[in-house]
Amino acid sequence: MNSKLLPFKLSWIRLLVFGNFVIYFLSTCSSSDSPSQISEGPSTISGTVFEVPLEYDAGENPLGIATGDFNGDDKTDLIVASSRKQDGITTTADGTLTLFQKNSSSSSRFPFTSSTLSPSTAEWRQDVISVDFNGDNLTDLVVTHTDEDKIKLLLNDGNANFTDNGSVTVGDVPLNLVSADWNSDNQTDLAVVNRDNSSVSILQNSSGIFTVTQTLAVSEHPIQLTSGDWDADNDTDLAILIRDTTLVQIWLNAGTGTFSKHATTYTVGSTPVGMISGDWNCDSKQDLAVSNSGDNTLSLIYGKGNGEFASPVLISSGRGPGALAAADFDNDSKMDFLVGHNFLVSTSGVSLMTGDFSLTLSDTTSSTGYASPTSFAATLAKNGASPAEFLISDLDNDSKLDIIITLPLSKNIAVFSGKQYSGNLTCP
């Protein structure tokens, strides 16, 4: 398998598209890289905790989703990055961005108007984040151009029109971006994980000009990173998820944007896929969570506030966990988890990739602190879909938490309006 021809964030996928069905062939990859096959299809539950989903076109292959006020009207808009077109047994470069602008005159469950932003030349845009990188108080975009080993800067004119503001070469196959002020100069800096040369590029910002100031050499095949102040020294550190060795590596910031690897690493479950940071138990110390596709678990890694973490706690997640997001849905001052599931269903000798998603609520009566997950259908499509990324927000201002899921195979985003939970996005 050519490792650079990846239509999605998951490195083990190889597909054929026939109408609405996606058939996966696994002979070119090792079994350890592949999701388990089962006979039971995805969940069909909908309309209980969330309303029956609304679905909207979001490009050929929607993956990443980001928020920002892109047109200066003090309302939060959305942007969805589409990586590559689905085209039979191959993929062709596309790279469109779908902009959803908040419509103040609409009272619908999804009060947004969509438009498509196409690049002048086709690109592979794997990830997108929104930042003000030149200090003009306008929200710009940064995207990974994965096949070119670059990140691209897209400058906003204030009316949600984005123009090419140059690119920066990083490592081999950049997958995932984060932003923060690494050196406390009040400018937004960047970091990007580069899968195929096992590195993380640290980029510092000087008036909108980014320079790679450090390249972190990490274990083989990093796939995701996240940031937080792990040691409570008021600067932003990094955690890096390593696929092959199933490890999380901690890199501490000296305060100047120079990072050093912590001696302690943390072993997670089989075939880790996703990682997020937050304060799960609301003790004012930053924690981590990792989804483990190979053993259907989440690894919860609780921070001690001094750069160290407790040994990971495994909780059940449902089949093939991937995408992760967290919020306090039931308002009990503990974070709950949304988990996207991706798995193969064997039918008449053919394996179909499908999926659903689940909500895992905190539960003080459980030994792990969490109840068993409840799964929901991720799409209206009968054959299901594999979620790629979540966004949690109160989209329609009804004080209920709603979610958006990007669905690459369905070429849509699914909008789930909350019916039951009026919780918080963070700890109180």
Side-chain angles (χ1 to χ4, degrees):
M1 179 182 292
N2 186 337
S3 62
K4 285 208 174 188
L5 295 179
L6 298 184
F8 304 127
K9 292 185 178 179
L10 305 182
S11 61
W12 35 259
I13 291 178
R14 181 179 178 88
L15 59 86
L16 289 174
V17 180
F18 293 95
N20 292 325
F21 291 92
V22 180
I23 300 178
Y24 284 71
F25 292 90
L26 305 178
S27 59
T28 55
C29 302
S30 69
S31 60
S32 62
D33 287 333
S34 307
S36 59
Q37 298 188 61
I38 59 175
S39 59
E40 182 183 353
S43 173
T44 58
I45 297 174
S46 62
T48 54
V49 173
F50 305 98
E51 299 281 0
V52 173
L54 303 173
E55 296 188 28
Y56 299 89
D57 178 77
E60 283 278 341
N61 208 338
L63 286 180
I65 185 169
T67 63
D69 178 10
F70 299 120
N71 57 355
D73 64 355
D74 295 322
K75 296 179 178 63
T76 300
D77 309 309
L78 312 172
I79 196 87
V80 177
S82 184
S83 63
R84 289 188 153 210
K85 290 182 178 179
Q86 299 174 21
D87 183 24
I89 62 171
T90 63
T91 57
T92 55
D94 178 22
T96 57
L97 298 170
T98 303
L99 174 65
F100 294 91
Q101 291 180 280
K102 190 73 173 285
N103 185 348
S104 59
S105 63
S106 173
S107 59
S108 69
R109 286 165 51 194
F110 187 65
F112 293 84
T113 302
S114 68
S115 58
T116 299
L117 311 176
S118 298
S120 56
T121 57
E123 304 286 356
W124 180 355
R125 291 175 171 171
Q126 180 81 6
D127 197 15
V128 58
I129 58 173
S130 55
V131 296
D132 175 14
F133 56 69
N134 62 348
D136 61 357
N137 295 317
L138 301 175
T139 305
D140 310 305
L141 299 174
V142 184
V143 295
T144 56
H145 281 189
T146 301
D147 55 343
E148 297 180 3
D149 300 336
K150 295 178 179 179
I151 61 168
K152 175 75 73 174
L153 308 174
L154 300 176
L155 187 66
N156 186 0
D157 68 355
N159 296 307
N161 298 311
F162 296 90
T163 56
D164 187 339
N165 200 55
S167 60
V168 182
T169 299
V170 288
D172 193 14
V173 187
L175 293 182
N176 182 226
L177 282 160
V178 296
S179 62
D181 182 2
W182 307 135
N183 56 349
S184 301
D185 64 353
N186 296 316
Q187 299 188 77
T188 301
D189 307 311
L190 302 170
V192 58
V193 63
N194 309 302
R195 189 197 63 191
D196 280 14
N197 71 335
S198 300
S199 70
V200 171
S201 300
I202 305 299
L203 298 97
Q204 292 193 18
N205 182 3
S206 177
S207 301
I209 305 298
F210 288 91
T211 304
V212 177
T213 56
Q214 187 180 10
T215 300
L216 312 182
V218 302
S219 297
E220 192 168 5
H221 290 143
I223 55 173
Q224 200 156 11
L225 73 165
T226 189
S227 60
D229 185 3
W230 316 136
D231 51 2
D233 62 354
N234 296 316
D235 57 36
T236 305
D237 310 307
L238 291 171
I240 303 166
L241 178 60
I242 311 297
R243 185 192 68 189
D244 288 7
T245 53
T246 66
L247 291 176
V248 172
Q249 293 183 346
I250 303 300
W251 290 73
L252 298 178
N253 187 354
T256 59
T258 299
F259 293 83
S260 57
K261 184 169 65 173
H262 196 279
T264 305
T265 58
Y266 301 90
T267 300
V268 293
S270 172
T271 317
V273 173
M275 179 173 64
I276 57 173
S277 59
D279 183 0
W280 312 143
N281 53 358
C282 294
D283 65 351
S284 299
K285 298 171 184 176
Q286 290 293 296
D287 310 313
L288 298 165
V290 174
S291 58
N292 306 305
S293 178
D295 57 16
N296 300 333
T297 62
L298 302 184
S299 295
L300 304 185
I301 311 174
Y302 292 97
K304 298 181 178 181
N306 60 357
E308 302 280 352
F309 292 79
S311 297
V313 175
L314 289 180
I315 67 172
S316 176
S317 69
R319 301 170 288 174
L324 280 173
D328 181 8
F329 279 87
D330 53 0
N331 207 22
D332 66 350
S333 297
K334 291 184 174 58
M335 292 296 108
D336 311 304
F337 294 100
L338 285 175
V339 183
H341 304 295
N342 308 273
F343 45 86
L344 289 162
V345 175
S346 297
T347 305
S348 302
V350 176
S351 294
L352 303 177
M353 192 67 174
T354 183
D356 50 26
F357 76 98
S358 65
L359 175 62
T360 300
L361 296 173
S362 58
D363 181 1
T364 57
T365 66
S366 169
S367 60
T368 64
Y370 283 88
S372 298
T374 301
S375 292
F376 303 91
T379 177
L380 297 174
K382 182 178 180 180
N383 59 311
S386 302
E389 194 161 326
F390 290 105
L391 173 69
I392 306 174
S393 180
D394 179 8
L395 298 170
D396 50 6
N397 297 317
D398 66 350
S399 300
K400 299 288 196 305
L401 291 182
D402 312 312
I403 63 173
I404 299 176
I405 308 177
T406 58
L407 301 170
L409 299 184
S410 297
K411 304 182 183 181
N412 288 332
I413 59 170
V415 179
F416 290 81
S417 298
K419 294 176 64 176
Q420 185 171 342
Y421 295 117
S422 55
N424 299 299
L425 295 174
T426 59
C427 290

